[in-house]
Amino acid sequence: MTEKNTDTNKANAGTLYIVATPIGNLGDITQRALDTLKLADKICAEDTRNTRKLLTHFGIQGELQALHDHNERHKVNAIKNWLDTGENIALVSDAGTPLISDPGYHLVSELGDQGYKIVPIPGVSAIITALSIAGLPTDRFTFEGFLPAKNVGRNKALQANLKEPRTQVYYESSHRIAVTVEAMLDIFGATRKVVLARELTKMFEQIYRGDLAGLQRWISEDDTPQKVHQKGEFVLMVSGHIEETESDDVNSSTEALLKILVDELPVKQAASLAAKITGRKKNELYKQAMLLKGK
Ligand code: SAM
């Protein structure tokens, strides 16, 4: 690579490229990612064996260097030295965009402060991929990454998000998806809207849309032979909290009642019974019941 830094105080140093790679489907690699990986003098990777497979698939040789959570701080100096000799370095993670719940923060932060040129080679990230099909508000959202592994920490983090009005996005693994959904159900309540994206871009990609009570059932009552609903990688998106006014309280209790009734009865009968119980108009309740039924 010959590109040189011209707009910082490290004009003669090489460039650090932050390269996104696919999260499943290898067809999602970008042309720029391939060109950059081909031409980089060194490729820093979270797991070199994993990245070697990716490179081999695309016929790229590449000199690999390990950079992971445990050696990142130590490795920064070595990378600076390589850049200072004019080498161009690429950073990749196991999947998706580096630094997004992946190593690279210390490296980019320190090199950025010291004026090294850092160039993004954008591509896939699970969070944006998931949000693009969620159908939850995406004008504003919060990325929560992984919740703490222990119950106390997890519950505390969820409690802190209880009144968060923006869509919340969580990463989760197969080991903890069931306990996380359970904890969300306890803290956010049964009717909070949720979308779970499982194994995005892979062969068994699956999307669950509904509320937390439904998701908890989908996971716990999974009757697939290998309990696949808990397997793989997940992005869990929870709709933001909506501040309830007094009349909203009435609306939500009516909705909760309707929900129970439409699960058991035909829509018309459910609406008629709900009208008798709540004193509300039957035709309004009928429309609401149709929506709940997804009609
Ligand atoms: N850097 C990656 C990115 O840009 O999305 C994320 C790395 S993080 C260590 C791995 C987590 O991302 C998984 O536990 C899961 O929550 C999410 N993830 C990665 N690939 C996924 C996929 N194909 N489907 C669903 N979630 C995925």
Side-chain angles (χ1 to χ4, degrees), residues 128-138 167 193-195 207 209 237:
I128 301 299
T129 310
L131 277 171
S132 73
I133 50 82
L136 294 174
T138 49
T167 297
K193 223 171 147 188
V194 69
V195 178
I207 312 295
R209 298 166 196 277
M237 292 159 286

Side-chain angles (χ1 to χ4, degrees), residues 1 15 42 59 81 139 143 153 156 166 171 176 187 190 196 217 224-226 247 251 259 277 281 289:
M1 266 196 180
T15 298
K42 290 185 175 61
N81 289 337
D139 46 347
F143 176 50
K156 209 169 150 196
R166 294 165 290 187
Y171 277 173
R176 283 197 276 273
I187 292 166
L196 180 73
R217 278 198 302 278
T224 59
Q226 273 137 1
S247 72
N251 283 337
K259 228 171 181 321
I277 295 168
K281 285 190 184 140

Side-chain angles (χ1 to χ4, degrees), residues 147-160 183 187:
L147 281 162
K150 296 204 173 125
N151 289 348
V152 176
R154 181 186 312 113
N155 290 345
K156 209 169 150 196
L158 290 175
Q159 280 291 353
I187 292 166

Side-chain angles (χ1 to χ4, degrees), residues 257 261 270-283 285:
L257 171 71
L261 294 174
S272 159
L273 209 51
K276 279 188 192 145
I277 295 168
T278 63
R280 298 182 138 217
K281 285 190 184 140
K282 198 158 98 183
N283 60 348
L285 292 170

Side-chain angles (χ1 to χ4, degrees), residues 23 95 97 100-102 125-126 146 171-172 200 202 233-235:
I23 57 169
T97 302
I100 307 301
S101 293
D102 265 337
S125 189
F146 290 98
Y171 277 173
E172 200 44 278
L200 287 163
K202 301 186 197 174
E233 299 189 283
F234 302 89
V235 181

Side-chain angles (χ1 to χ4, degrees), residues 1 7 11 76 102 130 173 175 181 196 239 248 263 265 268 271 276 281 288:
M1 266 196 180
D7 56 358
V76 171
D102 265 337
S173 70
H175 311 292
V181 170
L196 180 73
S239 71
D248 283 337
D263 277 349
L265 301 168
K268 208 168 157 190
K276 279 188 192 145
K281 285 190 184 140
Q288 209 173 340

